[in-house]
Amino acid sequence: MTDHDLTLTDDPTANRQALEQHLTTATGGTLRLPAGTFTLDRGVVLGPGWTLRGAAHGDGPVTTWLTSSSPDGEPIVHVLGSRVTIQDIGFLPPPCAPGEHGGDRGTAITIGNYLYPAETEWIEDVQIRRVEVERRDERAANCVAVMGAVRDITISDVSIVGGCTGVAVHWGAVGDGVDSIVGPSYHPHHLSIRDLRVSDAFEGFYLSSVHDVVVDRVHLSDVEIGFRLLPGDNTDRFHSGGDNPVGARIRVSGAHVAWNGPLYAVRIAGWGRSEIDHSVRVLEYRDVVVRDCTFVPLPLATAGSGDPLRSRSPIVVELASGVILEAIRVDLRVDPAAAGPQHDDRAEVDPRQPAGHR
């Protein structure tokens, strides 16, 4: 393993080549990037053993920023190897509209893949820390994606502004498309997300068909949806890990969500409709707790976008009887600009109240 101090310029092709010169010819090491904002002509792939590190910045904002001029929708950085670290870097993803099933496309960082041509090895031991992502006024693509055969992932001290979903965590599988999956399926697990801040985005984060996940200390502001826990559109029909059932051992705690959408701050759903045969299946959650969270309803981002026959709900729970809600607070103050978890004017859900079918 060796360290390399890279020189980057205003030439997007030369910048990408400077990275790939090491990434494609060595078997791991550390690439240290200088301070400044640099464009790549297309995204790069991080294989096993690599650390990508920006310039030192103390306790302030990051000083190294990467963007891309590619219109093809690949991530700026695509992690396809184990023992990888990305830290102290800001990302400015270009506009991208990957569509409903393109959650791993157009991102700042993607770990893994959604669809695989054949059975694959697990990617593990990946750390994303002290990273910033900005895609203001652009909500068609996600910012950070954790997809498919990935485990032992740590995401900490990440700030995101704009985009569709801040951190999208989704299962993956072998197949040519979402309607022709043959399996096996791969479900992210042993995942830790801590100190995540997302603002002015469609959604803070979601977890789709995962197990053994901890999310702690997240601040989601001016988002249409705070977060969702989902079973995946095929639930666990292709999952072979019988000792590790999908939807088990999930903890979300310390979330502060100020949402401006017309529906809900949080949705916890146990049912999914298959893209293969369009049947509805229910995933049984086991040992799942959402606790110590505060939800603040902000004025609607788009006037008149709500349904007059359906009130906005802090939490919507659908066919998810194995989920415990504990110490949930709803801040109904008149002045949402001053919203904060310390205010006493709150509605609170009874501790240890099971979330039944609603």
Side-chain angles (χ1 to χ4, degrees), residues 202 224-225 259-266 300 305-307 310-316:
F202 172 74
E224 290 193 34
I225 297 173
W259 95 100
N260 56 26
L263 298 177
Y264 42 76
V266 171
L300 290 175
S305 61
D307 183 348
R310 180 179 180 182
S311 61
R312 300 166 75 197
S313 300
I315 302 181
V316 171

PDB file of all heavy atoms in Angstrom, residues 202 224-225 259-266 300 305-307 310-316:
ATOM      1  N   PHE A 202     -35.788  15.769  -1.441  1.00  0.00           N
ATOM      2  CA  PHE A 202     -37.087  15.103  -1.403  1.00  0.00           C
ATOM      3  C   PHE A 202     -37.199  14.237  -0.152  1.00  0.00           C
ATOM      4  O   PHE A 202     -38.215  14.246   0.536  1.00  0.00           O
ATOM      5  CB  PHE A 202     -37.289  14.259  -2.664  1.00  0.00           C
ATOM      6  CG  PHE A 202     -38.529  13.405  -2.599  1.00  0.00           C
ATOM      7  CD1 PHE A 202     -39.784  13.985  -2.752  1.00  0.00           C
ATOM      8  CD2 PHE A 202     -38.448  12.040  -2.352  1.00  0.00           C
ATOM      9  CE1 PHE A 202     -40.941  13.205  -2.656  1.00  0.00           C
ATOM     10  CE2 PHE A 202     -39.588  11.261  -2.263  1.00  0.00           C
ATOM     11  CZ  PHE A 202     -40.847  11.845  -2.420  1.00  0.00           C
ATOM     12  N   GLU A 224     -39.365  16.722   1.930  1.00  0.00           N
ATOM     13  CA  GLU A 224     -40.765  16.340   1.736  1.00  0.00           C
ATOM     14  C   GLU A 224     -41.112  15.098   2.550  1.00  0.00           C
ATOM     15  O   GLU A 224     -42.222  14.967   3.063  1.00  0.00           O
ATOM     16  CB  GLU A 224     -41.058  16.111   0.254  1.00  0.00           C
ATOM     17  CG  GLU A 224     -41.047  17.395  -0.572  1.00  0.00           C
ATOM     18  CD  GLU A 224     -41.632  17.191  -1.959  1.00  0.00           C
ATOM     19  OE1 GLU A 224     -42.563  16.373  -2.107  1.00  0.00           O
ATOM     20  OE2 GLU A 224     -41.147  17.855  -2.891  1.00  0.00           O
ATOM     21  N   ILE A 225     -40.161  14.166   2.649  1.00  0.00           N
ATOM     22  CA  ILE A 225     -40.301  12.969   3.477  1.00  0.00           C
ATOM     23  C   ILE A 225     -39.033  12.833   4.306  1.00  0.00           C
ATOM     24  O   ILE A 225     -37.928  13.022   3.793  1.00  0.00           O
ATOM     25  CB  ILE A 225     -40.488  11.704   2.617  1.00  0.00           C
ATOM     26  CG1 ILE A 225     -41.786  11.786   1.800  1.00  0.00           C
ATOM     27  CG2 ILE A 225     -40.495  10.447   3.484  1.00  0.00           C
ATOM     28  CD1 ILE A 225     -41.941  10.661   0.806  1.00  0.00           C
ATOM     29  N   TRP A 259     -40.443  18.405   8.144  1.00  0.00           N
ATOM     30  CA  TRP A 259     -40.853  18.032   6.791  1.00  0.00           C
ATOM     31  C   TRP A 259     -41.917  18.981   6.247  1.00  0.00           C
ATOM     32  O   TRP A 259     -42.752  19.484   6.978  1.00  0.00           O
ATOM     33  CB  TRP A 259     -41.299  16.575   6.763  1.00  0.00           C
ATOM     34  CG  TRP A 259     -42.759  16.282   6.918  1.00  0.00           C
ATOM     35  CD1 TRP A 259     -43.661  15.998   5.936  1.00  0.00           C
ATOM     36  CD2 TRP A 259     -43.506  16.219   8.143  1.00  0.00           C
ATOM     37  NE1 TRP A 259     -44.907  15.758   6.462  1.00  0.00           N
ATOM     38  CE2 TRP A 259     -44.832  15.886   7.812  1.00  0.00           C
ATOM     39  CE3 TRP A 259     -43.171  16.416   9.489  1.00  0.00           C
ATOM     40  CZ2 TRP A 259     -45.837  15.752   8.776  1.00  0.00           C
ATOM     41  CZ3 TRP A 259     -44.162  16.286  10.442  1.00  0.00           C
ATOM     42  CH2 TRP A 259     -45.468  15.955  10.088  1.00  0.00           C
ATOM     43  N   ASN A 260     -41.843  19.193   4.918  1.00  0.00           N
ATOM     44  CA  ASN A 260     -42.734  20.160   4.273  1.00  0.00           C
ATOM     45  C   ASN A 260     -43.575  19.532   3.168  1.00  0.00           C
ATOM     46  O   ASN A 260     -44.154  20.235   2.345  1.00  0.00           O
ATOM     47  CB  ASN A 260     -41.941  21.342   3.710  1.00  0.00           C
ATOM     48  CG  ASN A 260     -40.849  20.913   2.739  1.00  0.00           C
ATOM     49  OD1 ASN A 260     -40.930  19.861   2.113  1.00  0.00           O
ATOM     50  ND2 ASN A 260     -39.801  21.733   2.608  1.00  0.00           N
ATOM     51  N   GLY A 261     -43.640  18.198   3.132  1.00  0.00           N
ATOM     52  CA  GLY A 261     -44.434  17.514   2.119  1.00  0.00           C
ATOM     53  C   GLY A 261     -45.873  17.327   2.556  1.00  0.00           C
ATOM     54  O   GLY A 261     -46.226  17.503   3.730  1.00  0.00           O
ATOM     55  N   PRO A 262     -46.746  16.919   1.640  1.00  0.00           N
ATOM     56  CA  PRO A 262     -48.173  16.807   1.943  1.00  0.00           C
ATOM     57  C   PRO A 262     -48.583  15.504   2.594  1.00  0.00           C
ATOM     58  O   PRO A 262     -49.736  15.362   2.986  1.00  0.00           O
ATOM     59  CB  PRO A 262     -48.812  16.943   0.557  1.00  0.00           C
ATOM     60  CG  PRO A 262     -47.802  16.349  -0.373  1.00  0.00           C
ATOM     61  CD  PRO A 262     -46.458  16.728   0.205  1.00  0.00           C
ATOM     62  N   LEU A 263     -47.664  14.528   2.723  1.00  0.00           N
ATOM     63  CA  LEU A 263     -48.065  13.209   3.195  1.00  0.00           C
ATOM     64  C   LEU A 263     -47.608  12.932   4.619  1.00  0.00           C
ATOM     65  O   LEU A 263     -48.345  13.116   5.568  1.00  0.00           O
ATOM     66  CB  LEU A 263     -47.530  12.140   2.232  1.00  0.00           C
ATOM     67  CG  LEU A 263     -48.058  12.231   0.792  1.00  0.00           C
ATOM     68  CD1 LEU A 263     -47.398  11.172  -0.088  1.00  0.00           C
ATOM     69  CD2 LEU A 263     -49.565  12.092   0.757  1.00  0.00           C
ATOM     70  N   TYR A 264     -46.368  12.473   4.802  1.00  0.00           N
ATOM     71  CA  TYR A 264     -45.916  12.005   6.105  1.00  0.00           C
ATOM     72  C   TYR A 264     -44.438  12.320   6.282  1.00  0.00           C
ATOM     73  O   TYR A 264     -43.699  12.508   5.313  1.00  0.00           O
ATOM     74  CB  TYR A 264     -46.128  10.485   6.227  1.00  0.00           C
ATOM     75  CG  TYR A 264     -45.760   9.713   4.983  1.00  0.00           C
ATOM     76  CD1 TYR A 264     -44.426   9.475   4.644  1.00  0.00           C
ATOM     77  CD2 TYR A 264     -46.739   9.243   4.114  1.00  0.00           C
ATOM     78  CE1 TYR A 264     -44.087   8.793   3.496  1.00  0.00           C
ATOM     79  CE2 TYR A 264     -46.412   8.560   2.953  1.00  0.00           C
ATOM     80  CZ  TYR A 264     -45.085   8.334   2.656  1.00  0.00           C
ATOM     81  OH  TYR A 264     -44.744   7.663   1.512  1.00  0.00           O
ATOM     82  N   ALA A 265     -44.017  12.351   7.552  1.00  0.00           N
ATOM     83  CA  ALA A 265     -42.593  12.486   7.845  1.00  0.00           C
ATOM     84  C   ALA A 265     -41.907  11.134   7.730  1.00  0.00           C
ATOM     85  O   ALA A 265     -40.769  11.049   7.269  1.00  0.00           O
ATOM     86  CB  ALA A 265     -42.387  13.058   9.237  1.00  0.00           C
ATOM     87  N   VAL A 266     -42.609  10.065   8.147  1.00  0.00           N
ATOM     88  CA  VAL A 266     -42.033   8.723   8.160  1.00  0.00           C
ATOM     89  C   VAL A 266     -43.081   7.726   7.667  1.00  0.00           C
ATOM     90  O   VAL A 266     -44.254   7.802   8.051  1.00  0.00           O
ATOM     91  CB  VAL A 266     -41.578   8.327   9.583  1.00  0.00           C
ATOM     92  CG1 VAL A 266     -41.188   6.857   9.645  1.00  0.00           C
ATOM     93  CG2 VAL A 266     -40.421   9.205  10.035  1.00  0.00           C
ATOM     94  N   LEU A 300     -46.448  23.615   3.859  1.00  0.00           N
ATOM     95  CA  LEU A 300     -46.222  22.871   2.621  1.00  0.00           C
ATOM     96  C   LEU A 300     -45.278  23.614   1.695  1.00  0.00           C
ATOM     97  O   LEU A 300     -45.401  24.830   1.517  1.00  0.00           O
ATOM     98  CB  LEU A 300     -47.550  22.625   1.904  1.00  0.00           C
ATOM     99  CG  LEU A 300     -48.514  21.638   2.575  1.00  0.00           C
ATOM    100  CD1 LEU A 300     -49.817  21.596   1.808  1.00  0.00           C
ATOM    101  CD2 LEU A 300     -47.899  20.252   2.664  1.00  0.00           C
ATOM    102  N   SER A 305     -50.757  21.573  -2.406  1.00  0.00           N
ATOM    103  CA  SER A 305     -50.361  20.229  -2.829  1.00  0.00           C
ATOM    104  C   SER A 305     -50.946  19.142  -1.937  1.00  0.00           C
ATOM    105  O   SER A 305     -50.855  17.966  -2.269  1.00  0.00           O
ATOM    106  CB  SER A 305     -48.833  20.121  -2.842  1.00  0.00           C
ATOM    107  OG  SER A 305     -48.313  20.335  -1.539  1.00  0.00           O
ATOM    108  N   GLY A 306     -51.522  19.506  -0.816  1.00  0.00           N
ATOM    109  CA  GLY A 306     -52.077  18.508   0.077  1.00  0.00           C
ATOM    110  C   GLY A 306     -53.446  18.023  -0.373  1.00  0.00           C
ATOM    111  O   GLY A 306     -54.088  18.589  -1.251  1.00  0.00           O
ATOM    112  N   ASP A 307     -53.890  16.920   0.249  1.00  0.00           N
ATOM    113  CA  ASP A 307     -55.206  16.358  -0.014  1.00  0.00           C
ATOM    114  C   ASP A 307     -56.140  16.806   1.100  1.00  0.00           C
ATOM    115  O   ASP A 307     -55.940  16.433   2.264  1.00  0.00           O
ATOM    116  CB  ASP A 307     -55.109  14.832  -0.061  1.00  0.00           C
ATOM    117  CG  ASP A 307     -56.434  14.166  -0.415  1.00  0.00           C
ATOM    118  OD1 ASP A 307     -57.471  14.864  -0.405  1.00  0.00           O
ATOM    119  OD2 ASP A 307     -56.430  12.954  -0.685  1.00  0.00           O
ATOM    120  N   ARG A 310     -57.302  14.097   3.355  1.00  0.00           N
ATOM    121  CA  ARG A 310     -56.315  13.268   4.040  1.00  0.00           C
ATOM    122  C   ARG A 310     -55.328  14.167   4.768  1.00  0.00           C
ATOM    123  O   ARG A 310     -54.577  14.907   4.150  1.00  0.00           O
ATOM    124  CB  ARG A 310     -55.571  12.389   3.033  1.00  0.00           C
ATOM    125  CG  ARG A 310     -54.521  11.478   3.648  1.00  0.00           C
ATOM    126  CD  ARG A 310     -53.864  10.639   2.554  1.00  0.00           C
ATOM    127  NE  ARG A 310     -52.848   9.754   3.120  1.00  0.00           N
ATOM    128  CZ  ARG A 310     -52.089   8.948   2.402  1.00  0.00           C
ATOM    129  NH1 ARG A 310     -52.232   8.911   1.091  1.00  0.00           N
ATOM    130  NH2 ARG A 310     -51.192   8.174   2.989  1.00  0.00           N
ATOM    131  N   SER A 311     -55.344  14.099   6.082  1.00  0.00           N
ATOM    132  CA  SER A 311     -54.464  14.970   6.856  1.00  0.00           C
ATOM    133  C   SER A 311     -53.027  14.495   6.773  1.00  0.00           C
ATOM    134  O   SER A 311     -52.747  13.312   6.545  1.00  0.00           O
ATOM    135  CB  SER A 311     -54.912  14.995   8.318  1.00  0.00           C
ATOM    136  OG  SER A 311     -54.834  13.688   8.865  1.00  0.00           O
ATOM    137  N   ARG A 312     -52.105  15.410   6.970  1.00  0.00           N
ATOM    138  CA  ARG A 312     -50.695  15.050   7.025  1.00  0.00           C
ATOM    139  C   ARG A 312     -50.423  14.272   8.307  1.00  0.00           C
ATOM    140  O   ARG A 312     -50.968  14.581   9.361  1.00  0.00           O
ATOM    141  CB  ARG A 312     -49.823  16.303   6.985  1.00  0.00           C
ATOM    142  CG  ARG A 312     -50.009  17.140   5.742  1.00  0.00           C
ATOM    143  CD  ARG A 312     -49.384  18.509   5.920  1.00  0.00           C
ATOM    144  NE  ARG A 312     -47.936  18.474   5.828  1.00  0.00           N
ATOM    145  CZ  ARG A 312     -47.136  19.444   6.270  1.00  0.00           C
ATOM    146  NH1 ARG A 312     -47.648  20.492   6.877  1.00  0.00           N
ATOM    147  NH2 ARG A 312     -45.826  19.353   6.126  1.00  0.00           N
ATOM    148  N   SER A 313     -49.564  13.254   8.206  1.00  0.00           N
ATOM    149  CA  SER A 313     -49.305  12.387   9.346  1.00  0.00           C
ATOM    150  C   SER A 313     -47.813  12.345   9.656  1.00  0.00           C
ATOM    151  O   SER A 313     -47.011  12.157   8.740  1.00  0.00           O
ATOM    152  CB  SER A 313     -49.779  10.963   9.054  1.00  0.00           C
ATOM    153  OG  SER A 313     -51.162  10.934   8.786  1.00  0.00           O
ATOM    154  N   PRO A 314     -47.434  12.515  10.913  1.00  0.00           N
ATOM    155  CA  PRO A 314     -46.016  12.361  11.248  1.00  0.00           C
ATOM    156  C   PRO A 314     -45.500  10.971  10.904  1.00  0.00           C
ATOM    157  O   PRO A 314     -44.401  10.816  10.373  1.00  0.00           O
ATOM    158  CB  PRO A 314     -45.982  12.612  12.753  1.00  0.00           C
ATOM    159  CG  PRO A 314     -47.210  13.410  13.038  1.00  0.00           C
ATOM    160  CD  PRO A 314     -48.243  12.926  12.069  1.00  0.00           C
ATOM    161  N   ILE A 315     -46.298   9.917  11.215  1.00  0.00           N
ATOM    162  CA  ILE A 315     -45.869   8.546  10.952  1.00  0.00           C
ATOM    163  C   ILE A 315     -47.026   7.762  10.339  1.00  0.00           C
ATOM    164  O   ILE A 315     -48.144   7.793  10.853  1.00  0.00           O
ATOM    165  CB  ILE A 315     -45.401   7.834  12.234  1.00  0.00           C
ATOM    166  CG1 ILE A 315     -44.247   8.589  12.899  1.00  0.00           C
ATOM    167  CG2 ILE A 315     -44.968   6.402  11.931  1.00  0.00           C
ATOM    168  CD1 ILE A 315     -43.739   7.929  14.149  1.00  0.00           C
ATOM    169  N   VAL A 316     -46.732   7.050   9.260  1.00  0.00           N
ATOM    170  CA  VAL A 316     -47.693   6.131   8.654  1.00  0.00           C
ATOM    171  C   VAL A 316     -47.100   4.731   8.756  1.00  0.00           C
ATOM    172  O   VAL A 316     -45.975   4.491   8.314  1.00  0.00           O
ATOM    173  CB  VAL A 316     -47.970   6.497   7.180  1.00  0.00           C
ATOM    174  CG1 VAL A 316     -48.789   5.411   6.496  1.00  0.00           C
ATOM    175  CG2 VAL A 316     -48.696   7.836   7.099  1.00  0.00           C
TER     176      VAL A 316
END
